[in-house]
Amino acid sequence: MPGGARRVLVVGIDGVRLDTLHTADTPHLDEVAAAGFLAPLTIDAGTPTMSGPCWATIVTGVRVDKHAVWGNDFSGNRLGVFSDFATRLTRQDGRRTYVAAGWQPLVTVADGGPLFHGPSRLTHIAPATETCEDWDDTDELITTEAVRVLACEDPEASFVYLGAVDETGHIQGCGPAYSAAIARADERLGRVLTAVRSRPSYADEAWTVIVVTDHGHRDEGGHGGPSDLERTAWIACAGPDIPAGAQVGTLHHEDVAAQVFAALDRPADSHWTLDGRPFITAPQAVLCDMDGTLVDSETLWLRTVGEVAAELGHTLTDADTPEVLGRAVEDTAAYLRHVAATARPLNDIAADLDARFLAAVEADTALLPGARRLLDTLLDSGIPTALVSASPRPVVDAVLKVLGTESFATTIAAGETARTKPHPDPYLAAARALGIDPAACLAVEDSPTGVAAAEAAGCRVAVVPSFVSIGRAPGRQLLTGLDELARSFTCALSPTS
């Protein structure tokens, strides 16, 4: 999983119809989509299909009934309460933010603005007149300055607005000139992305790129009405938390701001009352740990280790837990031999642990809450699932009688790779068996040892609560339980609307 300093770039391209986008020459947007996703969305029925309300929803993360931008005159808005993401990040967190835009209400007091109240850095270049040519010139100047800032300075969250496509649609309709304007916007997107990649610190950064449009257009040009062409917008996104080819469920404009906060590892404050949520994506495969993740065998293991330790003259305490949990039996046996200062042969201790634990599993294995729902959801959705365990094959096979072999496309047990957890080998083997890049896999784990193995393999990781606390980290999702993960897959795999 890419680590490093988190950065977010949002590029807003005004008024790009989805059907025209599919036929236009857009190699740079295609690159973003291939690295993550490009998906449609339908503007909420209560939101006018106009730039003001849609961009306000995109950058604040709340719907029109809260931000109160009902048209392209922003008068009477509540943006002081429901701020844009750049202002929140700058004023509340002291983050460096950057906004570049030519449309005046976005960044000036014109027509009741600004939408962006307080970014730490701002570029504003207004068109001389409301013509296609002057808007194209403005987008060129905005792009040139954005390229300089993104390449040479260090904004943590940025928003770059391009407006010429929308102006072309208004004046010339959605014909060849409109398609050409989309192609020019894509070329400017490419220059902005090149600037990001040219940064001397780029190799040590983790960038999320979001490209979004606000509304569509009628064939003859113009928008504001209820037609499907006007109400259909789209979002593209790529980044360290978004696997290539990601499947997404229903998206909303307000999700963009929520994703900006999530991509920066900045939990949204409940007082903001955001309506959006971070993009929910389904991985191409799920790699599940077994003990303590799907079945309550950690309790059985700790009981087994405690019994063996006591016979060796050592009383197991909470301080021992990280050393014996989530590890191969040989590692645990070596640890017990050391702390008990016993001369008992290592192989004897390991064999004793194996035999007692297998008997306990065969007698008392129970599914953890949400495990059945998660496995059934993955099976029904066709997402390949692997079982990746540090337990030996006899224990895995005993647990599979409870979990069901049909739930897994492949299983990996201790001893079946050169090294086991915390090394990446088991997760790499599982991904290889499924024929899927580890970066497109989600590993579900409960122990620091397992998390270390999955992250070393390059997987995203979802962590369920267990005996040992595990902290936040880039690309790591902390869950309340397996039910939460099952719900997220249901949302991610629901049809877009």
Side-chain angles (χ1 to χ4, degrees), residues 41-49 54 214-216 230-233 253:
L41 65 88
T42 301
I43 298 169
D44 291 343
T47 302
T49 55
C54 292
D214 52 341
H215 54 69
E230 295 162 274
R231 301 205 75 81
T232 300
H253 270 150

Side-chain angles (χ1 to χ4, degrees), residues 241-248 279-288 374 378 381-385 434 436-444 459-462 477 485 488-490 492-493:
D241 306 322
I242 308 293
Q247 301 177 64
V248 292
F279 305 149
I280 297 176
T281 63
Q284 293 181 24
V286 174
L287 315 179
C288 285
L374 173 63
L378 294 171
S381 68
I383 295 177
T385 305
L434 297 176
I436 296 174
D437 187 334
C441 298
L442 177 71
V444 188
C459 303
R460 290 188 296 156
V461 178
Q477 180 184 7
L485 189 59
S488 75
F489 281 121
T490 300
L493 295 166

Side-chain angles (χ1 to χ4, degrees), residues 4 18 39 151 211 230 254 368 372 402 428 446 492 497:
L18 181 61
V211 189
E230 295 162 274
E254 55 266 28
L368 285 166
R372 184 78 274 148
V402 178
L428 292 173
D446 74 306
S497 59

